[in-house]
Amino acid sequence: MAQAGVVRTGLALATAVAVLAVAHWWPQRDVRGLAPTVIADAWQMHWPKRPVPVTPALPLNGVQQTGAQGAPGTMGKNPQGGGSAVAAVATSPVMVDDSHALDPFFQQLWALQQGKPVMVTVLHYGDSPTTADLITGDIREILQERFGDAGHGFNLGAKPWAWYGHRNVEMKDSGWASSQKDATGVGKMKQSLYGLGGAIFSGSAGAETTYTLRDAASAPATAVAIDYLQQPGGGTMTVAADGNNVATIDTNGPTAVPASRLVNLPAGAKEIKVAVSNGSVKWFGADFRHGGKGVIYDSLGLNGATTTVVSRTFDPAAWGMELQQAKPSLIVINYGTNESQFAGLVTTLEQELRAAVAKARAAAPGVPILIMSPMDRGEHGGMSEIHTNPQIPKIVEIQQKVAADTHCAFFNTYAAIGGDGTMARWYAAKPRLITADLIHPTPDGAVIVARLFVDHLYAAFDGWKQRNGIGVVRVMSATEAAAKKKEEAERRKSEAAKAKADAAKARAEGAAKKPAVAKKRPAKPATQTSPQAEPQTAP
């Protein structure tokens, strides 16, 4: 009898664990297999200490301090004055640019460093890891901190998915045909007029989008370019800044072509509303500018995108007009995550990527192209492990081959963050660096990717300087700068806490030393004698 009770109890516990595990697994069932971490999450159990994720840093910002004869630490002369120049620069193993494709881009960065009024725009085309401005938002902040802030750049005209966003820009929209199926090249699956960001939004009177610039006080936008489709019978749009109308745009025209209208904004404008006032309008998005000097880093990722977004869906002539308007200094082609789901897409990837490079070159002649590989992608293997999707290394190899053949630069994100097994380490990290789908980075993971990208880009920039006889000054890497900022913030916090404690201690000691003052009782008022009570004197 007792044995039967033990069995029933065991079965009940097993059933409870199974139910909880399925409840945690169901939302992420697209990931193959059932890992023990699912059961652990269900019970909130604590497993043994997890390994630290591999995030290789590039020492000295990729600069190898060697002299002409290779003597370590031999420093050259800095022609610009101040700081130390480095005589030789190491080649980054993951930022490959044997054909020096990035040289024109570096020339413009150098012009910015020399104080020239240059606007350097980077167009970063990618898939879902960039759709919420993760990775791209961090790259933007790092580059703008060093080279100057030219503005937020391009924002889609509406949200094709709930999590679309842009760093420091809050966005609300209504009335547009804005779903993935209705608006994007991924959803429509055909060549058409999609605008710079690969999406087009249709709406009639009443459709509107409001952008709230959260950093309007510190980095105010001075202008916004409204990108729209000029078309026969097109309606009218209005642009308002903080409730005041600043522009009216007539989208009617003889043919259907992309168009843009630059609207100057009043000082300190915080809320920008774009609305259809009459008729029917199709538009692409709003491009916010801050002055005319610095870096703009446009995040142009689409959910579910593959390389075919560039190779097949953009109309060549229209995209050429849009790139001519954007004036990019660099185009980043960053796909591969979604190809890894289907072996067939991997088989055709080389063909599609070559077509994408050719189309970009035709649309923006002379503009450098950088092919950026996907990160690692994890899969659950049975009950015990997370391993790398086997298609990822194949994709990276194809991308690097195409980059070399077509004279593009190449950044191996997969290798930079640690290569095979990285997602297992990132999922085990505390805090986690990857979400439960083992595909999309958390904000902590995204900033690691961004810092590594920028650090290796800076290393290549230093190599360009050296080849052009420019003294290479030791510059703090993005990773080092972030660590220093954190250390400085912790130091200020510690000093503030100490000052507060010292002040409290001083008040307490002062109170203890102060002599006690005896309280005086209030004097009793003199007794008043009633006239009727006064003694009478005998006559």
Side-chain angles (χ1 to χ4, degrees):
M1 197 72 159
Q3 186 176 4
V6 171
V7 171
R8 284 196 299 270
T9 301
L11 288 172
L13 287 172
T15 301
V17 170
V19 170
L20 290 170
V22 170
H24 280 253
W25 169 75
W26 184 256
Q28 47 182 296
R29 58 192 181 278
D30 57 319
V31 181
R32 295 204 300 267
L34 178 63
T37 48
V38 174
I39 299 175
D41 287 345
W43 276 93
Q44 295 185 342
M45 295 169 63
H46 297 284
W47 290 77
K49 188 176 181 181
R50 292 164 169 172
V52 177
V54 176
T55 53
L58 188 64
L60 292 180
N61 192 27
V63 177
Q64 180 64 46
Q65 297 190 21
T66 58
Q69 284 72 42
T74 305
M75 309 300 288
K77 182 181 179 182
N78 174 17
Q80 302 301 320
S84 299
V86 181
V89 179
T91 302
S92 165
V94 294
M95 181 67 76
V96 182
D97 186 20
D98 295 337
S99 60
H100 305 312
L102 294 176
D103 283 10
F105 175 62
F106 292 147
Q107 288 173 358
Q108 293 204 303
L109 289 183
W110 178 244
L112 275 178
Q113 280 198 317
Q114 300 308 295
K116 295 181 180 179
V118 176
M119 184 177 291
V120 176
T121 299
V122 179
L123 306 182
H124 189 130
Y125 286 95
D127 43 32
S128 55
T130 63
T131 54
D133 207 17
L134 292 178
I135 302 177
T136 47
D138 296 304
I139 294 174
R140 182 185 308 113
E141 287 186 351
I142 296 167
L143 291 178
Q144 288 183 341
E145 184 173 0
R146 179 173 177 183
F147 296 102
D149 182 354
H152 290 295
F154 186 82
N155 290 250
L156 289 178
K159 290 187 175 187
W161 46 87
W163 59 89
Y164 172 78
H166 188 100
R167 188 77 53 88
N168 290 323
V169 178
E170 183 180 331
M171 182 177 172
K172 295 180 180 179
D173 65 85
S174 63
W176 303 102
S178 60
S179 70
Q180 172 90 315
K181 180 181 177 181
D182 293 332
T184 74
V186 175
K188 290 189 173 185
M189 295 292 290
K190 65 178 182 179
Q191 182 173 293
S192 188
L193 305 176
Y194 292 111
L196 187 68
I200 185 168
F201 306 95
S202 304
S204 54
E208 63 181 38
T209 299
T210 301
Y211 303 93
T212 302
L213 310 181
R214 291 197 290 262
D215 59 352
S218 58
T222 55
V224 58
I226 304 300
D227 295 346
Y228 61 93
L229 183 69
Q230 175 188 287
Q231 60 179 333
T236 304
M237 308 172 74
T238 59
V239 182
D242 295 329
N244 299 311
N245 187 59
V246 292
T248 299
I249 301 172
D250 184 359
T251 69
N252 183 43
T255 57
V257 292
S260 185
R261 165 84 175 273
L262 186 67
V263 179
N264 292 323
L265 297 173
K270 183 176 182 180
E271 186 177 279
I272 312 301
K273 180 185 286 188
V274 180
V276 179
S277 55
N278 62 71
S280 179
V281 164
K282 292 183 179 180
W283 79 310
F284 309 124
D287 189 344
F288 292 95
R289 302 300 176 101
H290 172 59
K293 175 182 174 183
V295 171
I296 285 180
Y297 201 97
D298 285 332
S299 180
L300 305 172
L302 292 176
N303 192 38
T306 65
T307 310
T308 58
V309 166
V310 175
S311 65
R312 292 179 181 269
T313 65
F314 281 115
D315 177 84
W319 196 40
M321 295 176 68
E322 289 147 5
L323 294 191
Q324 185 177 7
Q325 174 68 30
K327 296 181 175 62
S329 302
L330 176 66
I331 297 172
V332 179
I333 299 177
N334 178 202
Y335 299 103
T337 302
N338 294 303
E339 281 92 337
S340 68
Q341 298 180 84
F342 308 101
L345 291 180
V346 178
T347 302
T348 59
L349 174 59
E350 181 173 345
Q351 173 188 339
E352 296 297 339
L353 186 53
R354 289 181 185 276
V357 170
K359 183 180 280 189
R361 286 237 166 93
V367 175
I369 297 171
L370 185 151
I371 297 172
M372 183 176 181
S373 87
M375 306 188 304
D376 183 27
R377 175 174 181 163
E379 293 181 343
H380 287 300
M383 290 289 293
S384 61
E385 63 180 11
I386 294 172
H387 59 77
T388 291
N389 178 307
Q391 301 298 335
I392 291 293
K394 297 177 185 178
I395 289 169
V396 174
E397 183 179 356
I398 292 168
Q399 290 173 327
Q400 186 160 3
K401 178 181 184 299
V402 172
D405 290 349
T406 58
H407 307 292
C408 296
F410 176 71
F411 180 67
N412 192 335
T413 316
Y414 171 69
I417 65 174
D420 184 73
T422 296
M423 290 304 99
R425 295 185 289 271
W426 279 28
Y427 191 72
K430 292 184 178 179
R432 282 180 178 163
L433 303 175
I434 196 74
T435 58
D437 64 7
L438 306 179
I439 300 172
H440 301 94
T442 63
D444 290 324
V447 76
I448 289 174
V449 177
R451 289 171 184 166
L452 287 168
F453 175 81
V454 173
D455 286 348
H456 288 278
L457 186 68
Y458 284 175
F461 184 33
D462 287 340
W464 173 84
K465 289 179 182 177
Q466 185 196 42
R467 292 196 307 274
N468 288 274
I470 300 170
V472 180
V473 180
R474 166 77 172 106
V475 177
M476 188 178 298
S477 73
T479 304
E480 292 170 325
K484 185 174 181 181
K485 278 186 178 180
K486 183 178 179 181
E487 181 182 342
E488 181 65 19
E490 290 175 348
R491 183 187 64 77
R492 288 197 299 267
K493 184 178 179 181
S494 177
E495 289 177 352
K498 185 177 182 301
K500 186 176 180 180
D502 289 347
K505 183 178 178 183
R507 287 194 299 270
E509 290 175 349
K513 292 178 180 179
K514 191 175 182 180
V517 179
K519 291 183 179 180
K520 293 183 178 181
R521 292 183 178 180
K524 291 183 178 181
T527 303
Q528 297 293 325
T529 304
S530 173
Q532 287 81 7
E534 289 182 2
Q536 298 293 320
T537 304

